[in-house]
Amino acid sequence: MLLGVLLALLPLVWVWLRSRSATPAHRLRVLTLVTLFLTFDLVLFGAFTRLSDSGLGCPDWPGCYGSVSPLGASASIAAAQAALPSGPVTFSKAWVEMIHRYFATTVGVLILVLASVSWLERRRLAVSFWWPLLTLVWVCVQGAFGALTVTMQLFPAMVTLHLLGGLALLALLRAQAVGYALAAPGRPQSAPVDPGTRRALWLVFALLWVQIALGGWVSTNNAVLVCSDFPTCQGSWWPPMDFQHGFSLWRELGMTATGELLPFPALTAIHYVHRLAAYVLLAALFWLAWRLWFVPGLRNSGRGVLALALWQLFSGLSTVVLDWPLLAALAHTGGAAALVIVLTGALCVSQLAQARQPDRRLHSFAPTAVPPDGPAAQQPTPVL
């Protein structure tokens, strides 16, 4: 924990030096963006930890064999590696796992600072304090998922939940960043977004989360290379699949719920369902990008959706036809995380533009309207 605090001082000092003469709202916006960037990096490093088979490099939590780093655990690591040379414990894997934990603690400290400063400055901020508080609660939940991922020996359901939790953290931080940006003084009001486009955004956003969960399930069950050809799988358009065992959620890695070895058709089902869902999501992303092109305030989001859809298509294909190179797998995870950020931003802009229309309340935390010369005239109105 102390190491996480020391590491977090680096971005905190940078934000303070860069924005020391700015308003508290501006400093919080900069700190939110820095935390968002570091959380994105953390998600990618977490994917690297998983894909490099380093998740059990230190099989206890929060330390490494009771030590703060692999240096203090060198004897235990050497003994474990000697007992099982092909096992999950090596010095390099231990360092990868512990760096991931240091990184996660750093992000947690930054989110704690965001929540604390937001509470102290809550009367002068346009973004509701409840968002930073929710983010702080969620990062604690995410830490619990991380601990269970290790202590439950890479239980597939826990590893998948840990991935989804990291992406949910990105969405929360992105929502706060948009709120600060739209509440900046002098910023022009966003044009309203038609109801059809807002519904399309929510639909594609929901499909994205389903697909991310399916992709995480593929990765955590080591089912990526089950189908090494494309567009068919094992030379067939509909290979033998065992959906019952493949999508039995509460089971150990490589085992069925009854403790038997997971059959190969179950792995096939896991992979092929993700591939079929990808066709649906890609079509939805292309359709959404086309719709956003005609919305002036969301045109850049449409470009981002189109570019990331193509990125996901080619990086996903690369993991199959190139025998799952690590770089392609990381690129695929990064594309999914970027899509969460882009779609969250577009959703926030569309919802806030709608809320700012005449005779509409901003949200449940908005204060009751008062005359312009009333005592609350000097207080900013929460926008998110």
Side-chain angles (χ1 to χ4, degrees):
M1 292 177 66
L2 289 174
L3 184 58
V5 171
L6 291 174
L7 292 173
L9 285 176
L10 296 174
L12 286 173
V13 169
W14 180 85
V15 170
W16 182 82
L17 290 175
R18 186 180 185 275
S19 310
R20 58 183 180 273
S21 59
T23 62
H26 180 77
R27 283 198 297 269
L28 278 174
R29 177 174 178 266
V30 174
L31 181 56
T32 301
L33 290 172
V34 170
T35 307
L36 174 64
F37 172 76
L38 293 176
T39 304
F40 180 84
D41 295 336
L42 175 61
V43 169
L44 285 185
F45 198 85
F48 174 76
T49 302
R50 182 179 71 254
L51 297 170
S52 62
D53 196 27
S54 301
L56 295 179
C58 291
D60 55 335
W61 192 92
C64 188
Y65 289 99
S67 299
V68 72
S69 78
L71 293 176
S74 57
S76 299
I77 295 173
Q81 190 172 358
L84 190 61
S86 60
V89 179
T90 65
F91 282 100
S92 61
K93 291 180 180 180
W95 273 112
V96 169
E97 172 63 15
M98 288 308 297
I99 290 173
H100 176 61
R101 296 182 195 179
Y102 301 150
F103 204 168
T105 308
T106 302
V107 169
V109 171
L110 293 176
I111 291 174
L112 177 61
V113 172
L114 275 172
S116 302
V117 177
S118 297
W119 168 257
L120 294 174
E121 301 285 348
R122 63 190 182 279
R123 298 186 183 279
R124 294 196 291 167
L125 295 178
V127 176
S128 172
F129 164 71
W130 294 105
W131 283 98
L133 178 62
L134 177 60
T135 306
L136 177 60
V137 171
W138 187 251
V139 81
C140 294
V141 173
Q142 177 68 354
F145 285 151
L148 291 172
T149 294
V150 176
T151 57
M152 295 181 70
Q153 304 291 301
L154 302 184
F155 205 78
M158 282 302 161
V159 180
T160 304
L161 285 174
H162 193 47
L163 170 65
L164 292 173
L167 296 176
L169 197 57
L170 285 175
L172 287 169
L173 290 167
R174 177 57 175 157
Q176 292 173 59
V178 171
Y180 285 121
L182 294 182
R187 182 183 177 92
Q189 296 289 326
S190 301
V193 180
D194 65 279
T197 300
R198 292 200 306 275
R199 286 194 294 268
L201 277 166
W202 280 111
L203 173 62
V204 177
F205 195 60
L207 289 175
L208 174 64
W209 283 101
V210 171
Q211 179 65 351
I212 290 173
L214 290 173
W217 196 241
V218 171
S219 177
T220 56
N221 282 279
N222 298 324
V224 176
L225 297 181
V226 169
C227 299
S228 58
D229 51 331
F230 183 85
T232 59
C233 175
Q234 301 166 17
S236 171
W237 289 102
W238 194 259
M241 288 181 279
D242 182 350
F243 295 97
Q244 180 180 357
H245 287 117
F247 290 94
S248 175
L249 301 182
W250 202 252
R251 55 177 175 77
E252 296 182 13
L253 177 61
M255 310 296 289
T256 66
T258 57
E260 301 173 349
L261 288 175
L262 196 65
F264 189 76
L267 296 174
T268 305
I270 293 171
H271 181 111
Y272 206 58
V273 167
H274 175 61
R275 185 182 293 189
L276 294 176
Y279 300 144
V280 177
L281 179 61
L282 278 172
L285 288 171
F286 291 141
W287 168 67
L288 179 64
W290 174 76
R291 288 202 64 139
L292 295 181
W293 179 260
F294 299 100
V295 181
L298 296 176
R299 185 166 293 173
N300 286 335
S301 296
R303 293 190 185 101
V305 168
L306 177 60
L308 288 170
L310 293 172
W311 177 275
Q312 288 301 88
L313 172 62
F314 292 113
S315 62
L317 283 176
S318 298
T319 60
V320 174
V321 300
L322 299 179
D323 290 335
W324 200 29
L326 181 59
L327 184 60
L330 287 175
H332 201 54
T333 302
L339 274 171
V340 169
I341 293 173
V342 171
L343 288 181
T344 300
L347 273 171
C348 290
V349 170
S350 67
Q351 292 300 113
L352 290 174
Q354 175 67 14
R356 284 171 168 171
Q357 295 309 298
D359 300 324
R360 290 184 180 271
R361 296 290 296 274
L362 256 49
H363 63 40
S364 58
F365 300 119
T368 304
V370 295
D373 57 348
Q378 303 302 318
Q379 297 295 329
T381 301
V383 298
L384 188 61

